[in-house]
Structure formats: structure tokens, C-alpha cells
Amino acid sequence: MKAYDAVVVGSGPNGLAAAVALARAGHSVKVVEGQSTLGGGARTLPLTLPGFQHDLCSAIHPMALGSPYFAELELEKHGVEYVHSPFSLVHPIGNHAAILERGVEATAARLGPDEKAWLNLMKPLARDFEVLKRFMYYPATKPPLNAPIAAANFGLKAMQSAFWFAEENFETPEAKALLAGCAAHSFSALNTPFTNAFAMLLAVSAQVSGWPLVRGGSQKIIDALLALLLRNGGEVERDRPITSLDQLPPSRLVLFDTHAHVVERICGDALPGWYRALLTHMKLAPGVFKIDYALSAPMPWLAEASRNAATLHLGGSLPELAESEARVARGELPEKPFVLVAQQSQWDDTRAPAGKHTLWAYCHVPNGSDVDATAQLEAQLERYAPGFQKQVLAKTAKRTSHMEAMNAAYVGGDISGGAVEGLQILLRPGFGFTHATPNPKLMICGASSPPGPAVHGMCGYWAAQTAIQKLRAER
Ligand SMILES: Cc1cc2nc3c(=O)[nH]c(=O)nc-3n(C[C@H](O)[C@H](O)[C@H](O)COP(=O)(O)OP(=O)(O)OC[C@H]3O[C@@H](n4cnc5c(N)ncnc54)[C@H](O)[C@@H]3O)c2cc1C
């Protein structure tokens, strides 16, 4: 059997990013993927009717747009085209809406009595955005030491809970809801410390660089990485689910682009018991319930602004969002869940036949709960777009077990590689460890390692840097 310098288990954005970095450094590398389709959380597939292309998981790509490694790879030269909607984000409240625009001043100008408070918060963050990117794309072991004031200004606010920060600093339901919706991307109860970090980073990224989709679907990011891998001599094998190390081809290193819990199961005794315990103690994030729709017409949103954003946050006011996320954290299914919506086909005519549209919507459910949340999710869509059901040509729903079946890394529906909460935001998979494990041959390169979930490839990039050093040292 052919031997490789490195084998990567999993072809998500991090697995492919790691493989590309290794191949570009001159190492022989093979990616082994359990599914028949490559790309993990960045696949685009015809899930409903002929002619409709749906993002299976990720849809909106501020993190890919700002990724230092994707920039180095110049993915735009390999078919990735970022498309921006007029507004970055709309958060309907009743029949009007809170709006995140490209531009802090433009956003603030819509917030009435909160204009000044919004400017006071966001202007320094926007000014320091390049510094703050270090918190988004670098492991905690590489803090922005060259900009201590900017880091401290962010850090003092970031460690607070989004709920109390929004309550204390803003008056209007709009400003509070904008922060709450961004904080809810953490999958955590909004009164949890550090949720304000998500609120601020996502809100400032929406205003500074925008929340784009990718023309042709998220898959284009994978296609670009795959092309770079193959061009640099890398190999890929599909339909090869790995459950034990014996199934892998011989290699000097193995990098796992999968959940820490799955790494523990695959590696077994190849890892010491105390490290296996560290992996299994990684707290799981809540799961997701998702529906993809093929629509005969655009969504009949009540709030006009909702037609002008690729991303919508549905769930109402800060107290409503806090209640729904708290219920999920307690292991309950909320009656009125927080629903993330993307309407890609409005700005990308490759997604649906002329005049028709796709809609992507998911909500948070307790981890492992295989509940069908169609009624709750659709009630939220009806609330903000009454009569939308008349436009549904076809739909496909995915419970947590479906999510895990289409990606073994989604343990119990956890799409984050472990909760992004408390110290686990920074210390992934656990204290003292990032990408290397106690076994010098085995490494983690997926979202269970720093800097964590989202499509940015940086977990793979950082893991590959360590892997390249190891391979050089061996030689
Ligand atoms: C519904 C949903 C919406 C999302 N929305 C966004 C968004 O809008 N923007 C954004 O940036 N991020 C979003 N994300 C998150 C994003 O998709 C992930 O954070 C990202 O894909 C993580 O990349 P990864 O390479 O670490 O893992 P993954 O993309 O999960 O890839 C892991 C790969 O490894 C394979 N694998 C796992 N275990 C094994 C095994 N034992 N043997 C063989 N193969 C294996 C899987 O099949 C998969 O291909 C979303 C995710 C979901 C599910």
C-alpha cells in the first residue's frame, strides 16, 4: 500500500485547507472522506427539485471572506465569487426591522435614540477590525500583543453576556435585537459570559466587510480548495468512513477533520486515557434542525427591508431570543425558536430556475434531540412572512440524526465541533492542547481545534503548520 507523509480524515473546509497547506509544502497527502460528496459543512446539493441548488450547511461567508489563509490561496482566482446583498442582515421585529448595513454610521443612523451608543461601541471595533480578526482566526496562544489597547477594549466587553450588555447599553428593541441575534450564533444562552464576543465580532464584520454568499453555492469554496490540492499532487478518496486507525493507509501523520468525540473513538488506545477523557469531556453544542425550501416566488416578508438581505434573524426581541436560547440550553425545544434564514437565490441566479427561489432555514434544538421542529420553525416563518406556505413547491427537513448521518462530525447535531462557550471558546479541545495530541503521529485539524467553527479553513491551516514542522524535524 502506498505510504503518505500525511493522511487527512475528512474533506470539510479545514481538512482540505490542511491538505492543501501540506501539499504546497511538498508533502504527499491523501484526504479520506466518509461521504460520497466532498466538502462537509460547505456542500451545495440539489436537495429538492431539479434546477434548485441548496447549501446543505453553511450559506453565508463573512468568515471565509476574511480568512487569512483563503486570502493567501487567492480563492477568487479559483472560482469563488462573493456576492453581497444590499443589507448585511435584517432582523424583523413585528412588521418593521432592525438592519445591519455595510457601514457603522449607516447602521447607527437607523437606531434613533441608540445612534450615539451604537457609534460609541462600534466605531472603535470597526477601526480595530484588523486587530480583532486575530481573535477570530488565530489560536489563543497567539494573542494580538502588538495592539494591547484595542485588545483590552474588546476583551473587557467580550467577556460579558450579550443579554446584560445589550440591556445596559441600549434602549431600543432594534439595537438590542441586532446584538442578541449575532450572539445567538454561539448556540449559548444569551446570559452566558463571552456571548457578547460573538455579538460584537459578527456585528462589526457585517458592517465593515459584509456577510456575503458565494455565487454557485458554498461548494465553490470546496471546489477551489480541491483544485489546489489536486494541482499540488494531493489525493482524495470518497465513501471511506473511518472508525479505526487500521482502516487508514500508512502515513507519518494523521490529521482528523472531525469532532473531538469521534477522534477519541477512532484512535482508542493510541491515545492515553487522560487525553481521551479530555476529548470526551468536551461539552457538546446544541443541535440544529434545518429545512430547505424550493419556492415558486420570493418570500412575502412583512417588513420591506427583509427583501434586501441575504441573511435574516427571526425570533423577535432580545427577551424572546434570550428565552428561546435558554430553553435550548436547558434541553427543551422552544415554542418560538431563533431561526436563521438565508435567501441566496435573490442575488444568485444559479440557485433556482428563473423566477423561482430557494430558502435556507434552521433553528437550534437540544443536542441529540431528534425532534421534528417543522411546526415551530414554520410558525416563525409565517409570523414574518404570512402565507409563505402557498409558495412552497418542495421542502426537505433534517433532524439531528440526519445531520449526523450526512457528517459524522455532527455528534448529536452539534455542528460546532464542541460548544463554543466559556473557556472552550479558547481552549479547544481542552486545556494545554490545540492541534497536536500526546501521540506525535495524531493531530486534530477540524472545528474542535482553534480557532473553532465556521468556514475559514484556519483550524486546518494552523494544524498543517505544526504538521509541517513535525515532518521537517523527522527528516
Ligand atoms: C446548518 C448549518 C449552517 C451553517 N452555517 C454556516 C454559515 O452560514 N457560515 C459559516 O461560516 N459556517 C456555517 N456553518 C458551520 C460550518 O459549516 C462548519 O463550522 C465548518 O464546515 C467546519 O469545517 P470542518 O472542516 O471543521 O468540518 P466539516 O465541514 O464538518 O467537515 C468534516 C468532514 O469530515 C468528514 N468526516 C467526519 N468524520 C469522519 C470519519 N470518521 N471518517 C471519514 N470522514 C469523516 C465529514 O463527512 C465531513 O466531510 C454551518 C453549519 C451547519 C450544519
Side-chain angles (χ1 to χ4, degrees):
M1 212 191 256
K2 181 174 170 186
Y4 298 87
D5 288 332
V7 165
V8 179
V9 177
S11 69
N14 282 314
L16 288 177
V20 169
L22 282 154
R24 277 169 36 113
H27 296 292
S28 58
V29 55
K30 178 169 187 168
V31 176
V32 179
E33 167 57 50
Q35 302 283 320
S36 56
T37 46
L38 300 178
R43 284 173 281 177
T44 304
L45 296 167
L47 299 175
T48 55
L49 298 174
F52 289 85
Q53 289 292 328
H54 302 271
D55 288 323
L56 184 63
C57 301
S58 61
I60 303 297
H61 291 292
M63 293 298 285
L65 179 69
S67 163
Y69 190 49
F70 287 176
E72 182 186 324
L73 293 176
E74 300 186 296
L75 294 190
E76 282 92 336
K77 287 192 180 157
H78 301 276
V80 174
E81 183 190 341
Y82 295 104
V83 179
H84 292 268
S85 50
F87 299 142
S88 293
L89 167 78
V90 164
H91 186 130
I93 304 173
N95 57 5
H96 67 109
I99 300 168
L100 276 182
E101 292 218 39
R102 296 277 294 281
V104 169
E105 279 84 1
T107 301
R110 293 179 182 274
L111 291 173
D114 277 331
E115 178 175 3
K116 199 159 170 254
W118 190 267
L119 288 173
N120 285 344
L121 172 65
M122 291 295 166
K123 273 181 103 170
L125 299 178
R127 181 196 61 214
D128 299 334
F129 189 51
E130 287 307 312
V131 174
L132 301 185
K133 277 185 173 176
R134 238 180 140 89
F135 291 105
M136 299 158 83
Y137 296 111
Y138 285 60
T141 47
K142 299 177 194 290
L145 295 176
N146 58 341
I149 294 173
N153 171 48
F154 170 73
L156 288 172
K157 297 180 180 106
M159 62 178 67
Q160 300 180 39
S161 85
F163 183 85
W164 292 114
F165 187 86
E167 283 291 13
E168 276 172 23
N169 289 281
F170 296 104
E171 286 176 38
T172 60
E174 288 79 9
K176 292 180 187 182
L178 284 175
L179 281 186
C182 291
H185 282 249
S186 67
F187 281 78
S188 305
L190 300 187
N191 60 358
T192 314
F194 290 106
T195 41
N196 201 40
F198 287 83
M200 292 191 298
L201 288 177
L202 285 177
V204 78
S205 73
Q207 294 168 92
V208 173
S209 47
W211 284 9
L213 50 99
V214 173
R215 186 171 166 77
S218 303
Q219 186 78 44
K220 292 285 178 189
I221 294 175
I222 297 303
D223 294 349
L225 291 170
L226 182 64
L228 283 164
L229 176 63
L230 299 179
R231 183 185 297 176
N232 285 283
E235 298 174 26
V236 177
E237 184 180 349
R238 302 160 198 242
D239 291 314
R240 195 90 142 80
I242 300 301
T243 52
S244 112
L245 292 175
D246 316 338
Q247 297 165 304
L248 293 171
S251 67
R252 293 158 72 195
L253 294 177
V254 182
L255 287 80
F256 291 97
D257 178 23
T258 189
H259 201 289
H261 289 211
V262 180
V263 176
E264 189 273 339
R265 289 200 291 267
I266 296 174
C267 297
D269 291 343
L271 293 169
W274 59 266
Y275 182 76
R276 291 177 69 182
L278 178 138
L279 295 183
T280 50
H281 277 93
M282 199 173 183
K283 185 179 173 190
L284 295 172
V288 300
F289 176 85
K290 179 165 186 269
I291 308 185
D292 286 286
Y293 295 93
L295 301 176
S296 60
M299 284 290 277
W301 298 114
L302 276 176
E304 185 60 32
S306 302
R307 295 161 211 257
N308 289 322
T311 309
L312 283 95
H313 287 165
L314 308 185
S317 63
L318 169 65
E320 279 182 274
L321 256 59
E323 169 66 12
S324 68
E325 291 304 285
R327 276 180 182 265
V328 174
R330 289 200 299 268
E332 299 164 17
L333 177 68
E335 264 314 297
K336 294 182 175 177
F338 171 58
V339 179
L340 290 101
V341 172
Q343 37 185 9
Q344 300 92 323
S345 57
Q346 299 275 33
W347 294 278
D348 177 1
D349 59 10
T350 68
R351 305 295 186 101
K356 305 210 166 42
H357 288 278
T358 57
L359 192 82
W360 168 109
Y362 77 90
C363 64
H364 301 161
V365 296
N367 187 282
S369 149
D370 212 22
V371 65
D372 182 341
T374 302
Q376 290 80 352
L377 189 153
E378 292 195 334
Q380 292 289 56
L381 291 174
E382 269 298 324
R383 182 175 165 196
Y384 297 103
F388 93 97
Q389 305 256 20
K390 287 187 220 122
Q391 294 167 198
V392 176
L393 298 171
K395 64 181 174 185
T396 166
K398 291 200 168 47
R399 304 196 302 268
T400 57
S401 59
H402 299 132
M403 300 300 292
E404 197 167 347
M406 67 184 200
N407 185 339
Y410 293 161
V411 177
D414 167 3
I415 65 167
S416 306
V420 197
E421 203 177 283
L423 286 178
Q424 209 170 273
I425 300 174
L426 304 172
L427 308 173
R428 298 175 80 78
F431 184 73
F433 287 90
T434 54
H435 304 99
T437 74
N439 183 327
K441 188 181 160 175
L442 306 175
M443 299 186 63
I444 299 183
C445 71
S448 294
S449 63
V455 175
H456 46 55
M458 293 305 294
C459 312
Y461 170 81
W462 291 116
Q465 301 316 300
T466 307
I468 290 164
Q469 275 174 17
K470 279 174 181 268
L471 291 168
R472 280 201 190 126
E474 269 184 39
R475 269 187 190 151

